[in-house]
Amino acid sequence: MYSQVEHPAGGYKKLFETVEELSSPVTAHVTGRIPTWLRGSLLRCGPGLFEVGTEPFYHLFDGQALLHKFDFKEGHVTYHRRFVRTDAYVRAMTEKRIVITEFGTYAYPDPCKNIFSRFFSYFKGVEVTDNALVNVYPVGEDYYACTETNFITRINPDTLETIKQVDLCKYVSVNGATAHPHVENDGTVYNIGNCFGKNFALAYNIIRIPPLQADKEDPMSKSEVVVQFPCSDRFKPSYVHSFGLTPNYIVFVETPVKINLLKFLSSWSLWGANYMDCFESNETMGVWLHVAEKKKGRLLNLKYRTSAFNLFHHINTYEDNGFLIVDLCTWKGFEFVYNYLYLANLRANWDEVKRQAEKAPQPEARRYVLPLSIDKADTGKNLVTLPYTTATATLRSDETIWLEPEVIFSGPRHAFEFPQINYKKYGGKPYTYTYGLGLNHFVPDRLCKLNVKTKETWVWQEPDSYPSEPIFVAHPDALEEDDGVVLSIVISPGTGPKPAYLLLLSAKDMSEVARAEVEVNIPVTFHGLFKRA
């Protein structure tokens, strides 16, 4: 499934080039046939502006948020994109410089101000970025673009216009929230963010936003905290990117990548510091997994432990006979993977890209199995009795449960990442298939389908072609889990006259159904969704 494809031409560098927004949608040139049942819009987010004037952004998560939309109607496809009018973007455009500090780029104070006002601007506290470049998700009838801070941005999914900035802190007790909420079929939204818990110790809150009610009031105003997970270190929360949800349980995986809050609070008064400077690794804690009952909001008093990894994306989580099956895209070790995602690294020549990736934590898709009830008499034994997995959970004398995973995909420096499933029908339930973006030494160069039961893989790949996260769209009358199509934005800068296209694959065998080509380059996108018409 992983191919030893080389990329010496460096076409992947086009993923990190600034583009202009479009004043109106453009028509895409379709080859193959777009299924007539496919009606709606693919919405995606990513960075589109990689410098302001002469000032560069340094990290993959710094470029200013660009919202993309492919519209499908009666076999025709149009493409549109607009920058999200965040404070970070609008002020940068107005002042022609980087005004708000981003993930890996410090915003210097205005050189035109005198020394006193510059001095005082240090002590105003931190201006948190609202650069919503990571994902788009629905709340009630509204759509929001988001990053991982407390600010999310309401957008119009039809015109891509920016409506307003929303501060989550006004509604619920979190310092920020992930860009990977779970949206249930009735519209309920669950998310996680860190917060100050009892006695000023840090904790993690699970927040719930109810679906739109008959009174048509904004569901945000009805947000509530469902349960609070404790933090392994009262002053240093772990970085959280996603979490697991089943009909009855919430799973939170606490990794050794920590945010040093004292550093975070003090670094804003230091010259040149940014978010990346506030991360550190706890080299001894390994990984702690926490489980709570979803309906009662009660923590299970079980201490699951395993060896160190970074985690960004949960594939899926489900319950089976007194066990929780937790499928994850992991990166082995405690060093922070984001250290390798500086733009200078990603834009380097192929040999250098490879050299850096060899030093980085190595990717592996894994299955962990968590027993939900334990008996002290079983100390020293493997508690996992499910016949279909080699994952183990061993009760130790200190009452911790040591987990060893089953590896569901592994290839040297080849990641199965940005996982997607048939979420509407199989999210939180037993499932068979997941779709992923194949990263070859951090370069996205193939799309994969993985059978998590048999580990069989299917791959789409073309030379000098760089796809994005695959989005699964089910056939409206689907009977099988993989009946539908997979959508991905591909850039192919070296091959033909058209630099980018939207690719449609059969979700069954990953064969090409159609492509819709556009005359413009499309930079990297992270996440998104398909909004049915």
Side-chain angles (χ1 to χ4, degrees):
M1 116 112 199
Y2 57 89
S3 47
Q4 296 299 336
V5 173
E6 299 279 324
H7 298 289
Y12 50 81
K13 297 176 192 180
K14 296 292 273 188
L15 288 166
F16 317 112
E17 274 183 18
T18 291
V19 295
E20 292 188 340
E21 61 180 13
L22 297 171
S23 52
S24 57
V26 296
T27 302
H29 173 71
V30 174
T31 50
R33 287 193 58 187
I34 307 280
T36 47
W37 59 262
L38 189 67
R39 289 190 298 274
S41 320
L42 176 69
L43 293 169
R44 293 193 61 77
C45 259
L49 181 75
F50 292 91
E51 64 286 309
V52 180
T54 55
E55 297 182 14
F57 290 110
Y58 293 109
H59 200 275
L60 178 60
F61 304 132
D62 295 348
Q64 297 300 290
L66 184 61
L67 196 55
H68 307 257
K69 176 172 71 117
F70 279 92
D71 256 341
F72 301 85
K73 199 171 177 181
E74 283 144 26
H76 297 285
V77 182
T78 58
Y79 170 64
H80 193 28
R81 66 180 177 216
R82 296 199 63 179
F83 282 102
V84 185
R85 269 39 180 193
T86 59
D87 284 358
Y89 176 81
V90 170
R91 290 172 61 186
M93 292 298 100
T94 309
E95 298 191 33
K96 300 189 172 37
R97 62 184 190 90
I98 296 170
V99 181
I100 293 183
T101 292
E102 298 291 354
F103 203 74
T105 304
Y106 176 74
Y108 289 90
D110 185 350
C112 303
K113 288 188 179 151
N114 69 36
I115 189 75
F116 286 107
S117 61
R118 284 211 321 243
F119 179 78
F120 285 113
S121 72
Y122 283 146
F123 297 100
K124 275 204 303 236
V126 39
E127 269 202 292
V128 173
T129 182
D130 61 344
N131 181 22
L133 79 164
V134 185
N135 204 355
V136 191
Y137 62 90
V139 175
E141 290 175 342
D142 301 327
Y143 283 79
Y144 291 88
C146 65
T147 175
E148 300 183 315
T149 66
N150 51 302
F151 294 117
I152 59 177
T153 305
R154 192 172 148 205
I155 54 112
N156 179 324
D158 300 319
T159 63
L160 306 188
E161 284 170 316
T162 302
I163 299 172
K164 64 171 184 176
Q165 181 200 74
V166 171
D167 181 355
L168 293 170
C169 293
K170 292 194 171 139
Y171 298 104
V172 68
S173 168
V174 284
N175 304 331
T178 77
H180 290 285
H182 283 274
V183 183
E184 299 190 317
N185 289 341
D186 70 353
T188 306
V189 177
Y190 284 87
N191 209 341
I192 186 169
N194 55 52
C195 65
F196 291 104
K198 298 184 183 77
N199 315 327
F200 272 114
L202 280 151
Y204 311 90
N205 277 345
I206 294 282
I207 54 177
R208 178 181 176 274
I209 308 171
L212 193 66
Q213 310 289 317
D215 62 16
K216 293 286 186 192
E217 260 184 61
D218 181 1
M220 285 282 184
S221 63
K222 300 175 181 178
S223 312
E224 54 175 1
V225 173
V226 183
V227 65
Q228 188 167 89
F229 288 110
C231 186
S232 60
D233 179 328
R234 59 177 299 180
F235 296 118
K236 294 175 185 174
S238 291
Y239 174 70
V240 192
H241 192 86
S242 64
F243 63 105
L245 192 72
T246 73
N248 299 298
Y249 296 95
I250 300 162
V251 178
F252 164 50
V253 180
E254 193 176 16
T255 72
V257 175
K258 293 284 179 183
I259 303 163
N260 183 329
L261 270 196
L262 294 173
K263 210 186 239 180
F264 183 79
L265 297 171
S266 63
S267 75
W268 297 93
S269 58
L270 299 172
W271 188 259
N274 58 53
Y275 295 80
M276 275 297 290
D277 298 322
C278 304
F279 288 103
E280 57 187 50
S281 292
N282 179 326
E283 300 183 10
T284 55
M285 76 170 270
V287 166
W288 297 19
L289 292 90
H290 308 267
V291 177
E293 290 178 53
K294 181 176 150 191
K295 296 186 177 84
K296 294 181 185 155
R298 193 177 68 190
L299 294 175
L300 295 194
N301 187 21
L302 293 171
K303 298 182 174 70
Y304 304 102
R305 303 285 184 267
T306 190
S307 49
F309 58 75
N310 284 221
L311 168 67
F312 307 103
H313 301 120
H314 280 246
I315 302 172
N316 196 14
T317 314
Y318 65 90
E319 305 161 26
D320 187 1
N321 275 319
F323 295 94
L324 282 174
I325 287 78
V326 181
D327 291 352
L328 309 171
C329 295
T330 68
W331 297 78
K332 295 180 250 185
F334 50 71
E335 193 200 355
F336 196 22
V337 171
Y338 287 3
N339 293 340
Y340 292 88
L341 301 183
Y342 282 94
L343 291 165
N345 270 3
L346 299 171
R347 289 170 173 152
N349 289 332
W350 178 236
D351 289 338
E352 181 58 22
V353 165
K354 282 200 297 189
R355 212 172 60 76
Q356 290 293 333
E358 315 237 321
K359 300 190 293 199
Q362 291 309 305
E364 198 164 74
R366 294 176 172 178
R367 166 165 289 179
Y368 287 91
V369 178
L370 284 54
L372 290 167
S373 57
I374 60 167
D375 184 335
K376 277 190 191 154
D378 290 331
T379 303
K381 291 188 194 144
N382 170 26
L383 308 175
V384 179
T385 53
L386 298 172
Y388 57 80
T389 180
T390 55
T392 62
T394 308
L395 182 59
R396 300 197 290 197
S397 53
D398 62 358
E399 290 189 29
T400 58
I401 302 163
W402 183 262
L403 306 175
E404 286 292 343
E406 173 185 358
V407 176
I408 52 180
F409 175 78
S410 185
R413 285 166 287 285
H414 281 71
F416 179 95
E417 257 292 353
F418 294 84
Q420 290 283 327
I421 61 169
N422 180 343
Y423 182 86
K424 224 168 168 49
K425 283 205 174 145
Y426 294 87
K429 301 189 179 80
Y431 75 117
T432 306
Y433 302 111
T434 174
Y435 301 87
L437 180 62
L439 304 181
N440 171 358
H441 297 75
F442 293 118
V443 170
D445 69 359
R446 63 204 181 289
L447 296 165
C448 327
K449 175 185 182 179
L450 171 65
N451 178 324
V452 296
K453 294 176 178 166
T454 65
K455 305 184 176 62
E456 185 184 358
T457 57
W458 296 258
V459 175
W460 176 91
Q461 183 167 46
E462 279 188 9
D464 298 317
S465 300
Y466 306 98
S468 70
E469 168 190 62
I471 298 283
F472 173 84
V473 186
H475 189 287
D477 310 317
L479 297 173
E480 291 167 307
E481 181 180 341
D482 59 352
D483 188 359
V485 293
V486 169
L487 306 178
S488 177
I489 298 175
V490 184
I491 72 150
S492 54
T495 44
K498 305 251 194 305
Y501 56 93
L502 183 90
L503 178 67
L504 260 89
L505 300 177
S506 154
K508 284 231 180 282
D509 62 6
M510 300 297 276
S511 62
E512 182 170 332
V513 174
R515 59 178 68 183
E517 299 176 298
V518 292
E519 309 259 352
V520 288
N521 182 41
I522 300 179
V524 61
T525 56
F526 299 130
H527 300 289
L529 54 82
F530 187 77
K531 176 180 175 287
R532 289 184 190 268

